[in-house]
Amino acid sequence: MTGIVLGSAEPNRLLSHLAAYGLAAIVEASGAAGVVLSWTRGMNPRPWVATRDLDADAIATIVQQHAARHAGPDAWLWRDVPAAPGRGLMSPRISTIGDAQGWTDLQRARHEVLDQLVASDARLDQRLLQALGEPAYWRFDATGKPRQDEGASQLDMTPRNQGSELVGTRLRKLAAAVAKRDPEQVLDGLTGACVRDEAAGGDAQESRSANGLAPVGPVDNALAWCALWGVSQLPLALRGNGAAVTTGHVGRPGHGACYAPAWSSPWSLARVRTVLASEQLRTVAKAAVSRTDHDAPAGPADALTTDAARLWLRARGVLAVFTFPIGRHGSTKAPERRAERG
């Protein structure tokens, strides 16, 4: 079995975990058989994605073709909010919709995209959009002010203070950048042989191409493209009386921490999704975050629950659980959220 080791994907960056999920999902969606992923052993573990039949060059070609399909003008990435040209229709966090007609137009346009994806059996695209969420037209604060962001994934950390949003500001630029590469360049980016951040305008040191999934700085655009598609494996649970619950996140919206497991035996994507969504993984991550935040010590019942969760994870091959505190940087009024080093 051959595959790709994501050579620059350190385990203490959330981007690395999501890049592995996304790469495996993109390859599996292409029809490849026997897609598995794991972490290498040793002092410097890295994510590893493989299939039954494809070599590294073929996998890189699949990623390039995937980006090229989404860089085309007919792709859903290029649909705009009806009343705001240039703003991505399928972004979960957008400017406030001010009236009922605006909401009606927005929902009609979004439903058209979803119907098209269902008709074409684009299941990975559907998974991504479900995991990202949607503007919460049903949420308001005590004064009647909309709380649209409460329908969005906590993994969408695009700064909103300058009108940015995930689809128009990030995904479109990454799709265009990766689509222009040849497969060999995509492979170099995935393996870490070369880091190119075209979306940042020439490897800018203040690059936000990682979209909060890693510290500020250049990140290879093929790796970032895979990482944002990796969000598809972390589904969202919308709620009527509060903010949506994001798989892989604990704590208050906009705060708390993200978490991800590490393992060394080959896992299918179905196994990955099962463990990521498990209450046992959430329990262990929550206990780790509580210790870091110096909360009140856990009681005996909590300790027993956490120990049982650890045993459940260990029995399934989980070696470690990484937690990534959500840092808030810049303006206190509109802080930039970022997953810190795990």
Side-chain angles (χ1 to χ4, degrees):
M1 180 173 282
T2 59
I4 291 178
V5 174
L6 304 181
S8 65
E10 301 171 281
N12 57 5
R13 295 197 306 169
L14 180 59
L15 179 96
S16 304
H17 298 260
L18 289 171
Y21 308 159
L23 176 59
I26 289 169
V27 174
E28 186 171 86
S30 75
V35 178
V36 294
L37 61 160
S38 68
W39 287 80
T40 62
R41 295 179 179 270
M43 297 297 293
N44 297 296
R46 294 293 186 268
W48 170 72
V49 176
T51 77
R52 189 177 303 153
D53 304 313
L54 302 179
D55 61 15
D57 292 328
I59 292 174
T61 299
I62 289 171
V63 174
Q64 191 276 335
Q65 291 174 343
H66 177 260
R69 286 196 303 275
H70 289 86
D74 295 332
W76 61 262
L77 260 66
W78 301 90
R79 291 284 300 273
D80 289 340
V81 174
R87 299 290 175 87
L89 170 65
M90 303 309 287
S91 277
R93 296 165 61 233
I94 57 175
S95 301
T96 301
I97 304 297
D99 54 48
Q101 187 59 50
W103 279 114
T104 299
D105 293 343
L106 178 71
Q107 289 301 313
R108 182 182 295 114
R110 286 180 62 91
H111 291 168
E112 287 176 1
V113 169
L114 296 175
D115 288 344
Q116 290 166 3
L117 294 177
V118 170
S120 60
D121 199 28
R123 298 188 183 185
L124 178 56
D125 299 69
Q126 294 173 55
R127 281 189 184 277
L128 178 62
L129 294 178
Q130 191 285 329
L132 289 176
E134 62 179 304
Y137 56 82
W138 60 93
R139 294 291 297 145
F140 301 89
D141 65 16
T143 67
K145 183 179 178 180
R147 302 183 67 121
Q148 290 180 196
D149 287 2
E150 292 197 350
S153 170
Q154 293 299 305
L155 295 168
D156 176 7
M157 291 183 274
T158 315
R160 294 285 295 116
N161 57 329
Q162 295 180 347
S164 301
E165 40 82 15
L166 177 64
V167 174
T169 307
R170 294 284 182 265
L171 283 172
R172 289 179 185 177
K173 291 181 179 180
L174 290 172
V178 179
K180 290 178 181 177
R181 295 187 187 184
D182 59 42
E184 183 178 354
Q185 292 172 324
V186 172
L187 181 60
D188 285 345
L190 294 174
T191 61
C194 180
V195 175
R196 298 173 60 210
D197 194 341
E198 304 96 321
D203 302 323
Q205 292 304 306
E206 295 300 312
S207 169
R208 265 68 174 176
S209 294
N211 207 56
L213 303 178
V216 169
V219 60
D220 187 82
N221 285 181
L223 198 68
W225 175 251
C226 290
L228 288 177
W229 280 86
V231 175
S232 65
Q233 306 305 295
L234 295 156
L236 192 74
L238 296 173
R239 298 197 301 172
N241 61 347
V245 177
T246 301
T247 300
H249 174 267
V250 291
R252 290 185 295 129
H255 298 78
C258 295
Y259 58 87
W263 64 96
S264 60
S265 58
W267 281 9
S268 68
L269 266 175
R271 166 57 65 90
V272 172
R273 287 193 294 270
T274 298
V275 173
L276 287 174
S278 69
E279 183 62 27
Q280 290 84 354
L281 180 61
R282 188 177 185 84
T283 296
V284 170
K286 192 172 183 179
V289 171
S290 295
R291 288 197 304 273
T292 302
D293 288 347
H294 306 291
D295 284 350
D302 294 327
L304 286 173
T305 300
T306 301
D307 287 343
R310 287 197 184 98
L311 289 173
W312 187 91
L313 292 171
R314 193 174 298 134
R316 284 153 181 79
V318 176
L319 303 177
V321 177
F322 286 85
T323 58
F324 306 89
I326 303 298
R328 296 167 71 85
H329 304 267
S331 164
T332 56
K333 185 177 181 180
E336 179 180 349
R337 292 186 295 129
R338 197 179 306 147
E340 308 290 4
R341 295 183 76 84

